[in-house]
Amino acid sequence: MKKKALVTGITGQDGSYLVELLLSKGYDVYGIKRRSSSFNTQRVDHINQDEHVKGQKLNMIFGDLSDSSNINHIIRTIRPDEIYNLAAQSHVRVSFDIPEYTADVTGLGALRIFEAIREADLNHTRVYQASSSEMYGDAVEVPQSENTPLNPMSPYASSKVFAYHMARNYRIAYNMFISNGILFNHESPRRGETFVTHKITRGVAQIKLGLMDKIYLGNLDAKRDWGYAPEFVEAMWLMLQQESPDDFVIATGETHTVKEFVERAFDIVKIDWKKHIEIDKRYFRPSEVNILQGDYSKAKKILGWEPKVTFDELVRIMVKADLEYFEKQIKK
Ligand code: NAP
Ligand code: GDD
């Protein structure tokens, strides 16, 4: 019998890569998408076109993490072997503008999934909870590991801390298989356009092609541990194949400033970045996370997982993809 996987957040960056991975491993994949007034499935539209040929497809279901009865119904009906909870209001800056909504979806949304499994007595279901390095916030040590105390600095991070602790509590209290992946920043050409890496690489491509002149950014001094998203979703799957549930940091172990990302991206197109970057106060946060750098040694030892794509390669992959994208737009 084929294993059944349910993925929330399929229309996002990670959801799209994870669905590809699960289909390639022969899972029956069900994905929750939320209703939107405009098309929101661009990142997964290619999947059914490709996969139909091989007799596999992504089954899409309308759902929303803010709606308990909907989540209960989906989980009771599908009875998945594995659930990957990737759905979230995932933008840190935006979480300061909509804190209550963020807590509802990013925090309570996870709890709704755990409760639905418990209520339905699905003893076989394993859950991956998308926890985040943002939970370390104003980090008390560098690098951060599974043992580093959490010190969240935003409504988003606080909501993720709630979900993280609920995952651990349900694991202990009800003996449920729930693993937290504490993923550090991971990027790709499918990254949301308002996260800093993609904002920069899209800007660089447009500047190179004469389509725009300036990129407006906030804090250039923040440091992040940036990895490559397709590699990070493999770690999610590995966590659910272990004998017992646990928490794992997934990171590259390297940290770079936003400014370094800008420099590398402009270097690729041989343009002087200083002429094209403007600082705009709107992009600063009420409280900032200054440095994230992950220690992934536990994941390496237990999951056998290691990052492969380097920082330079990541920047290059993203700039190249954006150049190709905007070149196509010009030709249309
Ligand atoms: P993303 O691109 O922002 O995708 C978020 C997904 O959640 C989208 O499919 C979105 O749907 C969906 N969603 C939002 N609100 C929802 C709701 N109320 N009900 C159902 N679905 C909803 O995020 P990502 O980068 O793929 O990240 C995946 C997960 O990992 C998130 O939980 C994020 O917080 C966490 N995380 C990400 C990183 C990272 O660096 N990428 C690092 C650590 C943790 P729409 O497409 O309709 O908006
Ligand atoms: N978004 C954005 N836009 N960030 C900017 C900008 C800008 O114009 N200018 C500077 N930054 C800085 C932010 O202040 C932050 O320090 C850093 O760039 C990274 O910002 P984001 O790319 O928005 O990512 P994030 O680190 O806040 O959050 C991402 O990673 C988390 C894991 O650590 C998101 O994907 C979260 O969902 C994820 O949990």
Side-chain angles (χ1 to χ4, degrees):
M1 263 268 278
K2 273 182 162 189
K3 272 193 182 174
K4 281 192 267 186
L6 173 66
V7 183
T8 73
I10 40 153
T11 56
Q13 170 187 256
D14 291 5
S16 67
Y17 287 118
L18 181 66
V19 165
E20 287 173 0
L21 180 77
L22 294 170
L23 286 172
S24 76
K25 290 187 182 293
Y27 281 73
D28 261 343
V29 185
Y30 298 80
I32 295 182
K33 68 167 177 177
R34 60 179 174 160
R35 199 269 158 182
S36 164
S37 65
S38 49
F39 292 119
N40 63 348
T41 56
Q42 299 89 322
R43 292 189 181 99
V44 283
D45 281 340
H46 65 285
I47 291 176
N48 279 349
Q49 286 154 20
D50 295 351
E51 298 299 333
H52 255 317
V53 182
K54 297 179 216 150
Q56 282 172 314
K57 74 180 188 72
L58 164 62
N59 304 284
M60 285 202 225
I61 312 157
F62 275 112
D64 199 299
L65 279 202
S66 62
D67 187 328
S68 306
S69 63
N70 161 260
I71 297 298
N72 284 336
H73 176 72
I74 291 172
I75 289 177
R76 273 177 185 278
T77 313
I78 296 173
R79 303 177 68 80
D81 299 289
E82 296 173 11
I83 299 181
Y84 295 85
N85 181 33
L86 309 184
Q89 189 306 91
S90 73
H91 202 283
V92 175
R93 175 67 193 83
V94 172
S95 78
F96 288 96
D97 300 327
I98 47 171
E100 191 178 325
Y101 176 77
T102 303
D104 189 11
V105 173
T106 307
L108 283 174
L111 175 60
R112 290 185 182 109
I113 289 177
F114 308 153
E115 261 300 286
I117 298 166
R118 191 178 75 82
E119 282 280 308
D121 281 331
L122 298 181
N123 301 323
H124 73 295
T125 306
R126 297 179 167 207
V127 187
Y128 171 85
Q129 168 56 22
S131 288
S132 166
S133 52
E134 273 293 306
M135 301 190 306
Y136 297 119
D138 188 10
V140 302
E141 63 182 8
V142 181
Q144 297 92 33
S145 75
E146 295 79 4
N147 301 320
T148 304
L150 307 178
N151 194 15
M153 284 290 128
S154 64
Y156 166 79
S158 303
S159 307
K160 284 287 185 190
V161 169
F162 171 80
Y164 164 86
H165 280 300
M166 278 298 169
R168 288 170 65 94
N169 181 239
Y170 272 55
R171 189 196 296 165
I172 295 163
Y174 306 118
N175 203 23
M176 284 168 59
F177 193 117
I178 309 179
S179 290
N180 281 296
I182 308 172
L183 271 53
F184 283 62
N185 298 49
H186 45 280
E187 320 293 312
S188 73
R190 295 187 198 167
R191 182 59 143 151
E193 289 89 353
T194 60
F195 296 99
V196 78
T197 54
H198 207 184
K199 184 172 168 182
I200 294 166
T201 60
R202 280 171 62 88
V204 165
Q206 289 175 87
I207 290 166
K208 175 70 180 171
L209 298 171
L211 301 173
M212 72 182 235
D213 187 43
K214 302 272 186 209
I215 308 175
Y216 296 88
L217 295 174
N219 179 12
L220 299 188
D221 298 324
K223 290 180 146 183
R224 290 291 183 275
D225 178 330
W226 279 295
Y228 185 44
E231 294 179 352
F232 279 45
V233 303
E234 285 182 26
M236 298 176 184
W237 177 78
L238 283 169
M239 283 178 218
L240 296 199
Q241 313 315 310
Q242 303 306 302
E243 270 185 19
S244 47
D246 206 342
D247 304 325
F248 294 95
V249 160
I250 301 297
T252 72
E254 272 186 36
T255 192
H256 297 273
T257 59
V258 173
K259 190 170 151 197
E260 277 175 82
F261 195 104
V262 168
E263 287 168 351
R264 298 293 163 90
F266 275 94
D267 277 354
I268 292 167
V269 294
K270 300 191 173 41
I271 291 177
D272 179 4
W273 69 272
K274 293 193 195 74
K275 293 184 182 145
H276 298 279
I277 296 290
E278 295 278 339
I279 301 301
D280 185 331
K281 289 264 179 293
R282 279 181 308 160
Y283 298 114
F284 283 80
R285 292 156 187 203
S287 46
E288 176 64 289
V289 168
N290 294 317
I291 174 161
L292 292 177
Q293 183 173 8
D295 169 359
Y296 65 89
S297 47
K298 179 175 171 185
K300 185 176 175 186
K301 187 166 166 232
I302 297 174
L303 305 178
W305 181 90
E306 265 191 288
K308 293 181 194 75
V309 170
T310 64
F311 177 69
D312 279 1
E313 286 166 350
L314 173 66
V315 183
R316 195 166 285 281
I317 289 168
M318 292 180 72
V319 170
K320 186 170 172 278
D322 285 325
L323 278 170
E324 284 170 10
Y325 173 80
F326 285 108
E327 274 161 3
K328 267 194 203 146
Q329 297 302 309
I330 292 171
K331 283 185 194 143
K332 267 187 186 169

